[in-house]
Amino acid sequence: MRIVLAGGTGFIGRAMVGAYRAEHALEVLTRHPDRARLPEGVRAVGWDGATLGAWAERLDGADAVINLVGERIAQRWTPAVKQRLWDSRVKTTALLVQAAQQARTPPRIWLQASAIGIYDQSPDTTADESSPPASGFLADLGKAWEAAAQTVASLGVRLCYMRIGVVLGLESGALPQMLTPFKLGVGGPIGSGRQWLSWIHLDDVVGAAAFLLARDDLSGAFNFTAPNPATMHEFAKTLGRVLLRPAIFRAPAFAVRLMLGEMAEFVLQGSRVLPNRLLEAGYEFRFPTLEAALRDLLAK
């Protein structure tokens, strides 16, 4: 396949490039093609993420587009940050769709990043792909993000939404931030500990996306979460056990709110999100359990 990746230099994108480059012809849209440091054989295509240009021609006749673009969610949400979070997802997706609309031969497949923040955020909630979207900033952002991609389906493109959970990896994401207090012996649950952490190993994000690329019968929303979510209490206990460190020092909710502001509610009120459609389609998770995932990552 010839695959065009937007966001291919980010945390998830780099992992996909590394995994897919031997089998597929990859082209990565990047604002800094001269500094992208892509593996040999992977083509860097310059774009600004805001305007149409020569880059748009690369979507013409592509087998697949994987859109991972979006500024990182895990930061304090000032009004300016919230606008950047919105624009980097919704406006950039709309731009990519516009390029596909202009193509003589639109891409066959479109994998669109989304997030489990689209569901209700509550320790009492269990969600799968049939669950309705919630309301609030994260949910509204998720709905608008997916809606911006919806138009490509009318072009005959097979569209899959990847509703990605908390991705566990060593280079970025939540895990490196959690490791420091545990290694210092002061780790523990965040907030009440009752909230769910719907996690997924980075290798399974890559594997599930490859699974969707290969299955022409699959479209629509798919939760990219492991089949065994953990409460924050369970996560802290498991991480402590793997690191041989205590996990008894709770981070109080008020401190998390002081640090993260509005974004803290996503950390303090996580939901139990299940990957039912991936499981029903036959995807086999490499790391279905938290302890196995953590031991694999920390062994590296």
Side-chain angles (χ1 to χ4, degrees):
M1 286 187 181
R2 181 168 72 85
I3 302 173
V4 178
L5 289 98
T9 58
F11 172 42
I12 295 173
R14 289 195 303 272
M16 288 186 176
V17 167
Y20 300 164
R21 67 188 182 96
E23 186 175 352
H24 303 291
L26 303 182
E27 301 179 9
V28 174
L29 301 182
T30 173
R31 289 176 172 82
H32 305 289
D34 54 331
R35 307 203 306 262
R37 294 186 298 177
L38 296 171
E40 184 177 354
V42 178
R43 178 177 179 178
V45 179
W47 79 326
D48 63 4
T51 57
L52 289 173
W55 64 267
E57 298 173 4
R58 304 312 307 160
L59 271 66
D60 194 344
D63 293 292
V65 169
I66 303 176
N67 179 21
L68 302 168
V69 174
E71 184 168 337
R72 65 185 182 91
I73 287 285
Q75 55 182 309
R76 190 178 182 87
W77 292 351
T78 65
V81 167
K82 289 170 77 171
Q83 190 63 54
R84 292 201 307 270
L85 293 174
W86 193 280
D87 291 348
S88 67
R89 287 164 172 76
V90 180
K91 287 189 175 181
T92 305
T93 297
L95 180 69
L96 286 165
V97 169
Q98 188 178 355
Q101 290 173 316
Q102 295 183 0
R104 294 181 299 275
T105 305
R108 292 192 301 110
I109 308 162
W110 192 289
L111 300 191
Q112 173 65 42
S114 183
I116 61 170
I118 200 168
Y119 301 116
D120 179 48
Q121 298 303 302
S122 167
D124 300 321
T125 295
T126 296
D128 63 16
E129 294 87 353
S130 67
S131 302
S135 58
F137 176 70
L138 270 185
D140 292 344
L141 176 56
K143 288 182 283 189
W145 199 6
E146 293 186 3
Q150 180 60 45
T151 306
V152 298
S154 66
L155 304 176
V157 179
R158 180 167 65 84
L159 173 61
C160 297
Y161 299 110
M162 303 178 292
R163 292 179 175 170
I164 301 172
V166 177
V167 181
L168 300 183
L170 291 180
E171 291 188 14
S172 187
L175 185 58
Q177 299 177 48
M178 295 177 178
L179 285 176
T180 299
F182 276 88
K183 288 181 175 180
L184 294 173
V186 293
I190 297 172
S192 70
R194 289 183 56 245
Q195 72 272 37
W196 289 93
L197 192 72
S198 294
W199 61 275
I200 184 170
H201 191 297
L202 179 59
D203 286 357
D204 275 315
V205 176
V206 173
F211 181 79
L212 293 181
L213 286 173
R215 286 284 299 270
D216 287 338
D217 58 322
L218 299 178
S219 62
F222 295 86
N223 292 335
F224 275 43
T225 56
N228 296 289
T231 64
M232 184 59 72
H233 176 77
E234 292 167 342
F235 185 90
K237 185 177 179 180
T238 304
L239 182 55
R241 182 166 62 249
V242 171
L243 290 172
L244 302 178
R245 294 290 190 276
I248 59 175
F249 296 93
R250 188 179 303 277
F254 77 86
V256 179
R257 291 190 176 99
L258 280 175
M259 183 172 61
L260 295 178
E262 185 182 347
M263 192 266 169
E265 298 312 309
F266 180 67
V267 177
L268 297 170
Q269 297 291 328
S271 298
R272 181 172 180 260
V273 180
L274 301 176
N276 285 358
R277 291 200 66 210
L278 281 174
L279 293 172
E280 290 166 0
Y283 178 70
E284 295 184 8
F285 281 82
R286 288 188 60 191
F287 299 98
T289 64
L290 179 60
E291 184 159 345
L294 291 174
R295 290 196 181 280
D296 173 77
L297 289 166
L298 296 175
K300 297 174 182 176

